[in-house]
Amino acid sequence: MDSLINHPVILTVFSILIIGMLLLDLGVLNKKSHAITSKEAAYWSILWISLSMGFSAIIYHYLGFEKFSQFQGAYWIEKALSVDNLFVFILVFGYFNVAKELQHKVLFWGVLGALFFRAIFIFSGVWILNYTYLPEMELFGKTVTINYLLTIFGIILIVAGVKSWFSTNSDDGDQDFSKSPGAKLVRRFFKVSSQFDGDQFFTIQNGLKMATPLFMVLVIIEFTDLLFAVDSIPAIFAIAPDDPFILYTSNIFAILGLRSLYFLLANFMYMFSKLHYGLAIILAFIGVKMIIAPFIHISSLVSLSVVGGVLLISVMWSLLFPSKE
């Protein structure tokens, strides 16, 4: 099947868009730390979603509807799981009393770290998948080829779906983030200042170079993203297990839009109080799809329809029956 790697025009457009937007973000629009308003966040959210949809249109033009559906499916799965990530970000920022004008810098560098680690996860994952196919066998009257790693991923996603169904946002509310793995890692290598130094990650106190609490927050955010990737990366492998470029480009567009989405939704999380039920269904559906793939093929269009429909219903449910917390 045709892949993005065979179309330098698409990869060039992707590279220019991503590098250009990051340079614009860091070097021009957010040169000085400031609190992001809901209006500014809304503009950026619309821009990132528009760029994502525009890029998917280019994929449709060059590669056809199947690859377009794969991009859309992987994009919205990652976007949905990222929204669930936002609540933890809110708790981390609140726990360390990070001022609103400093939060954008943490999320920006956190996103750059995510770009790097997602590339490792996705490209190495697709490479490993090629070596985990079992020999052809007869099962239930059909000749099938089973990938045992995808089957394991499917089981993991079903378990994650069950956990998501019974979880609530309050489960993380009393967590001591100063004892989290990210915080322990920072303390292992650096002395940590008790005070912020503006938007600096490191400071000098009494002639000693020390990490600031802002740097600790950055590392905790990065660790949190890595933990969420345990669910999101296997989930998107169900969409396009043989095309890492579709997975990576859709993942990056979803992640880059996460910062603006955070500032837009931070005061409106009640709109997503029932989202964990929707995510539970989506994760379980994708897990089942992975397991039955050798026997029953579920098209990308069906997957996209299920993901979109479940997300829409969960948001409407949240609005009609908002959380009392």
Side-chain angles (χ1 to χ4, degrees):
M1 186 179 288
D2 207 358
S3 170
L4 283 182
I5 190 61
N6 301 320
H7 288 268
V9 173
I10 303 179
L11 294 179
T12 301
V13 171
F14 172 74
S15 301
I16 292 174
L17 277 177
I18 299 304
I19 295 174
M21 291 299 293
L22 288 175
L23 291 176
L24 180 66
D25 189 340
L26 183 63
V28 180
L29 299 178
N30 294 289
K31 208 168 187 179
K32 294 183 179 180
S33 296
H34 66 284
I36 306 296
T37 65
S38 294
K39 184 177 181 180
E40 183 180 353
Y43 286 145
W44 274 98
S45 295
I46 293 172
L47 177 59
W48 275 116
I49 292 175
S50 299
L51 288 174
S52 305
M53 297 303 100
F55 185 75
S56 70
I58 295 175
I59 291 177
Y60 177 78
H61 176 75
Y62 282 97
L63 301 177
F65 185 76
E66 179 65 19
K67 289 296 181 182
F68 167 83
S69 298
Q70 289 179 354
F71 178 93
Q72 288 283 344
Y75 174 82
W76 289 111
I77 288 172
E78 181 63 36
K79 183 70 82 175
L81 293 172
S82 295
V83 171
D84 200 39
N85 217 350
L86 296 183
F87 182 76
V88 180
F89 291 178
I90 293 172
L91 293 177
V92 173
F93 286 137
Y95 184 89
F96 289 95
N97 295 315
V98 180
K100 288 186 176 181
E101 60 268 20
L102 304 180
Q103 293 176 8
H104 178 274
K105 182 176 181 178
V106 173
L107 292 175
F108 179 87
W109 289 105
V111 163
L112 288 187
L115 301 187
F116 173 75
F117 287 114
R118 295 303 173 91
I120 294 176
F121 291 160
I122 291 173
F123 286 93
S124 62
V126 171
W127 178 77
I128 292 172
L129 284 176
N130 291 327
Y131 295 93
T132 55
Y133 283 96
L134 298 174
E136 283 190 355
M137 62 183 72
E138 285 283 339
L139 281 177
F140 307 112
K142 294 184 67 174
T143 301
V144 297
T145 303
I146 296 176
N147 187 300
Y148 65 83
L149 185 57
L150 286 178
T151 302
I152 293 172
F153 281 167
I155 295 171
I156 291 173
L157 290 177
I158 293 174
V159 172
V162 173
K163 289 175 63 177
S164 179
W165 183 273
F166 292 103
S167 71
T168 62
N169 289 339
S170 60
D171 292 343
D172 296 317
D174 298 326
Q175 185 174 344
D176 186 354
F177 291 102
S178 65
K179 297 179 181 178
S180 64
K184 291 179 180 178
L185 180 67
V186 172
R187 290 198 184 95
R188 182 175 180 179
F189 292 98
F190 303 99
K191 288 188 176 296
V192 182
S193 168
S194 60
Q195 297 180 337
F196 289 88
D197 184 9
D199 64 353
Q200 300 302 306
F201 290 131
F202 294 93
T203 186
I204 303 293
Q205 291 187 2
N206 300 321
L208 181 66
K209 186 174 183 179
M210 305 176 72
T212 66
L214 196 67
F215 180 72
M216 181 175 287
V217 170
L218 171 63
V219 176
I220 292 172
I221 291 291
E222 199 64 65
F223 259 80
T224 301
D225 180 74
L226 290 177
L227 290 176
F228 274 88
V230 173
D231 289 339
S232 66
I233 298 301
I236 62 175
F237 277 140
I239 303 298
D242 60 341
D243 195 338
F245 290 94
I246 282 287
L247 300 181
Y248 186 65
T249 53
S250 59
N251 216 260
I252 295 314
F253 272 112
I255 291 174
L256 287 175
L258 178 60
R259 288 173 304 126
S260 55
L261 196 63
Y262 167 83
F263 292 106
L264 180 62
L265 300 180
N267 295 324
F268 303 98
M269 289 305 292
Y270 68 90
M271 295 176 59
F272 300 94
S273 62
K274 305 297 187 297
L275 179 65
H276 65 99
Y277 294 115
L279 294 180
I281 295 172
I282 290 172
L283 289 172
F285 166 75
I286 296 171
V288 171
K289 175 183 176 180
M290 280 182 160
I291 294 173
I292 68 173
F295 309 95
I296 302 173
H297 173 68
I298 299 177
S299 69
S300 299
L301 179 58
V302 172
S303 299
L304 179 59
S305 301
V306 170
V307 171
V310 170
L311 288 178
L312 181 61
I313 291 172
S314 63
V315 172
M316 292 177 62
W317 185 14
S318 299
L319 292 175
L320 292 174
F321 303 98
S323 174
K324 295 180 180 180
E325 295 181 5

